[in-house]
Amino acid sequence: MNSWSNERIIVAFHYGSIVLLNFDEQEEEEFLSLVKKYCADHTEETRKDDYRVVVRRSLDSWSRGGHDTMFLKKLDLDNVKIVSSVLGQSVALEHHIKKADKMVTIFSNLNHSMQKDGSFTMGRSQLFRLVAAANTTLSDLVLRVRFLDRSEAAWKDARYASIWEYLRDEFEMIDRFESMNFKLKTIQNNLKFLLDVLQNRKSDFNEWLIIILISFELSMSVYFILHEIGRF
């Protein structure tokens, strides 16, 4: 994200995104390498969004959008908050979309395997981990990233609201979120089906166990009856 001066601004979010203003590529890598040393957890693959912000004091309006560019009449704290929040959320959304894609791939392969030979090889613990991953993907976006919440600056001033709305549209935030949500619903439907399969397996096992126990009891009863007859 480039601007009109050499001042550097760093905006870090608690959910893991970092927005850097006026850093070149080498400086970005050096800073991120430094930050990773103090992170409790970090992703294996770094996801990035680049966007250009230009301050043009001669602008006849408060802001104007361009191709991969936002022109601002003034870069104040609220503008920094809005631009960085949308960029941070966009990167976080992409991270969760990739997680959803991986889960879709797992279930697609599993369904192909079941279609081919009728077998279901996934263990109960692995299935439960997928249930937890699907549930936390959406809740993290809503509760931690606060993806559906409007920026505080956008609430108090229509000028900032127009910037927030433009950037959300520019990064296709709602379309990407709805696409991910559709994938998660598909995953949840698959999970429900597979959990039902596991439950039916357990029910079948219990039924067979009951049958075996009854057969064993009958066999013992017949044995004792025959034993008593033999004594006479």
Side-chain angles (χ1 to χ4, degrees), residues 67-78:
H67 179 64
D68 291 335
T69 304
M70 169 61 73
F71 295 94
L72 298 175
K73 191 176 185 66
K74 177 183 178 182
L75 185 66
D76 57 15
L77 181 59
D78 284 332

PDB file of all heavy atoms in Angstrom, residues 67-78:
ATOM      1  N   HIS A  67      -8.500   2.324 -10.517  1.00  0.00           N
ATOM      2  CA  HIS A  67      -8.128   0.926 -10.727  1.00  0.00           C
ATOM      3  C   HIS A  67      -7.076   0.518  -9.701  1.00  0.00           C
ATOM      4  O   HIS A  67      -5.927   0.970  -9.751  1.00  0.00           O
ATOM      5  CB  HIS A  67      -7.595   0.730 -12.144  1.00  0.00           C
ATOM      6  CG  HIS A  67      -7.164  -0.671 -12.432  1.00  0.00           C
ATOM      7  ND1 HIS A  67      -8.046  -1.736 -12.437  1.00  0.00           N
ATOM      8  CD2 HIS A  67      -5.941  -1.196 -12.697  1.00  0.00           C
ATOM      9  CE1 HIS A  67      -7.386  -2.852 -12.699  1.00  0.00           C
ATOM     10  NE2 HIS A  67      -6.104  -2.545 -12.870  1.00  0.00           N
ATOM     11  N   ASP A  68      -7.479  -0.346  -8.765  1.00  0.00           N
ATOM     12  CA  ASP A  68      -6.581  -0.791  -7.684  1.00  0.00           C
ATOM     13  C   ASP A  68      -5.959   0.382  -6.934  1.00  0.00           C
ATOM     14  O   ASP A  68      -4.836   0.281  -6.420  1.00  0.00           O
ATOM     15  CB  ASP A  68      -5.464  -1.700  -8.231  1.00  0.00           C
ATOM     16  CG  ASP A  68      -6.002  -3.041  -8.700  1.00  0.00           C
ATOM     17  OD1 ASP A  68      -7.066  -3.457  -8.201  1.00  0.00           O
ATOM     18  OD2 ASP A  68      -5.372  -3.671  -9.556  1.00  0.00           O
ATOM     19  N   THR A  69      -6.681   1.478  -6.877  1.00  0.00           N
ATOM     20  CA  THR A  69      -6.159   2.691  -6.239  1.00  0.00           C
ATOM     21  C   THR A  69      -7.285   3.434  -5.537  1.00  0.00           C
ATOM     22  O   THR A  69      -8.409   3.493  -6.040  1.00  0.00           O
ATOM     23  CB  THR A  69      -5.514   3.628  -7.271  1.00  0.00           C
ATOM     24  OG1 THR A  69      -4.501   2.924  -7.993  1.00  0.00           O
ATOM     25  CG2 THR A  69      -4.879   4.837  -6.594  1.00  0.00           C
ATOM     26  N   MET A  70      -6.971   4.003  -4.380  1.00  0.00           N
ATOM     27  CA  MET A  70      -7.884   4.890  -3.682  1.00  0.00           C
ATOM     28  C   MET A  70      -7.222   6.253  -3.565  1.00  0.00           C
ATOM     29  O   MET A  70      -6.118   6.365  -3.001  1.00  0.00           O
ATOM     30  CB  MET A  70      -8.222   4.338  -2.295  1.00  0.00           C
ATOM     31  CG  MET A  70      -8.962   5.316  -1.393  1.00  0.00           C
ATOM     32  SD  MET A  70     -10.575   5.831  -2.053  1.00  0.00           S
ATOM     33  CE  MET A  70     -11.523   4.338  -1.795  1.00  0.00           C
ATOM     34  N   PHE A  71      -7.861   7.271  -4.117  1.00  0.00           N
ATOM     35  CA  PHE A  71      -7.371   8.643  -3.999  1.00  0.00           C
ATOM     36  C   PHE A  71      -8.067   9.310  -2.823  1.00  0.00           C
ATOM     37  O   PHE A  71      -9.299   9.274  -2.711  1.00  0.00           O
ATOM     38  CB  PHE A  71      -7.645   9.432  -5.276  1.00  0.00           C
ATOM     39  CG  PHE A  71      -6.892   8.932  -6.478  1.00  0.00           C
ATOM     40  CD1 PHE A  71      -7.484   8.033  -7.348  1.00  0.00           C
ATOM     41  CD2 PHE A  71      -5.596   9.355  -6.723  1.00  0.00           C
ATOM     42  CE1 PHE A  71      -6.793   7.571  -8.461  1.00  0.00           C
ATOM     43  CE2 PHE A  71      -4.898   8.900  -7.828  1.00  0.00           C
ATOM     44  CZ  PHE A  71      -5.497   7.994  -8.700  1.00  0.00           C
ATOM     45  N   LEU A  72      -7.283   9.923  -1.948  1.00  0.00           N
ATOM     46  CA  LEU A  72      -7.822  10.593  -0.774  1.00  0.00           C
ATOM     47  C   LEU A  72      -7.380  12.052  -0.758  1.00  0.00           C
ATOM     48  O   LEU A  72      -6.257  12.371  -1.158  1.00  0.00           O
ATOM     49  CB  LEU A  72      -7.336   9.909   0.513  1.00  0.00           C
ATOM     50  CG  LEU A  72      -7.733   8.450   0.722  1.00  0.00           C
ATOM     51  CD1 LEU A  72      -7.062   7.900   1.970  1.00  0.00           C
ATOM     52  CD2 LEU A  72      -9.243   8.303   0.821  1.00  0.00           C
ATOM     53  N   LYS A  73      -8.268  12.899  -0.292  1.00  0.00           N
ATOM     54  CA  LYS A  73      -7.910  14.301  -0.143  1.00  0.00           C
ATOM     55  C   LYS A  73      -6.979  14.499   1.045  1.00  0.00           C
ATOM     56  O   LYS A  73      -6.107  15.370   1.047  1.00  0.00           O
ATOM     57  CB  LYS A  73      -9.175  15.142   0.054  1.00  0.00           C
ATOM     58  CG  LYS A  73      -8.957  16.647  -0.050  1.00  0.00           C
ATOM     59  CD  LYS A  73     -10.281  17.380   0.062  1.00  0.00           C
ATOM     60  CE  LYS A  73     -10.100  18.872  -0.169  1.00  0.00           C
ATOM     61  NZ  LYS A  73      -9.692  19.158  -1.563  1.00  0.00           N
ATOM     62  N   LYS A  74      -7.158  13.594   2.047  1.00  0.00           N
ATOM     63  CA  LYS A  74      -6.362  13.692   3.270  1.00  0.00           C
ATOM     64  C   LYS A  74      -6.237  12.312   3.889  1.00  0.00           C
ATOM     65  O   LYS A  74      -7.196  11.557   3.932  1.00  0.00           O
ATOM     66  CB  LYS A  74      -7.049  14.656   4.246  1.00  0.00           C
ATOM     67  CG  LYS A  74      -6.365  14.791   5.591  1.00  0.00           C
ATOM     68  CD  LYS A  74      -7.168  15.709   6.498  1.00  0.00           C
ATOM     69  CE  LYS A  74      -6.540  15.827   7.871  1.00  0.00           C
ATOM     70  NZ  LYS A  74      -7.351  16.686   8.782  1.00  0.00           N
ATOM     71  N   LEU A  75      -5.059  11.977   4.369  1.00  0.00           N
ATOM     72  CA  LEU A  75      -4.862  10.705   5.065  1.00  0.00           C
ATOM     73  C   LEU A  75      -4.812  10.975   6.562  1.00  0.00           C
ATOM     74  O   LEU A  75      -3.774  11.306   7.120  1.00  0.00           O
ATOM     75  CB  LEU A  75      -3.568  10.027   4.612  1.00  0.00           C
ATOM     76  CG  LEU A  75      -3.326   8.625   5.197  1.00  0.00           C
ATOM     77  CD1 LEU A  75      -4.367   7.642   4.691  1.00  0.00           C
ATOM     78  CD2 LEU A  75      -1.934   8.123   4.851  1.00  0.00           C
ATOM     79  N   ASP A  76      -5.970  10.847   7.200  1.00  0.00           N
ATOM     80  CA  ASP A  76      -6.012  11.035   8.643  1.00  0.00           C
ATOM     81  C   ASP A  76      -6.150   9.673   9.323  1.00  0.00           C
ATOM     82  O   ASP A  76      -6.152   8.628   8.669  1.00  0.00           O
ATOM     83  CB  ASP A  76      -7.155  11.979   9.042  1.00  0.00           C
ATOM     84  CG  ASP A  76      -8.507  11.477   8.552  1.00  0.00           C
ATOM     85  OD1 ASP A  76      -8.622  10.296   8.155  1.00  0.00           O
ATOM     86  OD2 ASP A  76      -9.470  12.273   8.566  1.00  0.00           O
ATOM     87  N   LEU A  77      -6.258   9.693  10.636  1.00  0.00           N
ATOM     88  CA  LEU A  77      -6.287   8.449  11.396  1.00  0.00           C
ATOM     89  C   LEU A  77      -7.480   7.587  11.024  1.00  0.00           C
ATOM     90  O   LEU A  77      -7.354   6.360  10.895  1.00  0.00           O
ATOM     91  CB  LEU A  77      -6.298   8.753  12.899  1.00  0.00           C
ATOM     92  CG  LEU A  77      -6.306   7.539  13.832  1.00  0.00           C
ATOM     93  CD1 LEU A  77      -5.082   6.659  13.588  1.00  0.00           C
ATOM     94  CD2 LEU A  77      -6.369   7.998  15.293  1.00  0.00           C
ATOM     95  N   ASP A  78      -8.643   8.206  10.832  1.00  0.00           N
ATOM     96  CA  ASP A  78      -9.839   7.425  10.493  1.00  0.00           C
ATOM     97  C   ASP A  78      -9.708   6.777   9.122  1.00  0.00           C
ATOM     98  O   ASP A  78     -10.155   5.640   8.913  1.00  0.00           O
ATOM     99  CB  ASP A  78     -11.085   8.314  10.548  1.00  0.00           C
ATOM    100  CG  ASP A  78     -11.528   8.612  11.969  1.00  0.00           C
ATOM    101  OD1 ASP A  78     -11.263   7.763  12.852  1.00  0.00           O
ATOM    102  OD2 ASP A  78     -12.118   9.683  12.205  1.00  0.00           O
TER     103      ASP A  78
END
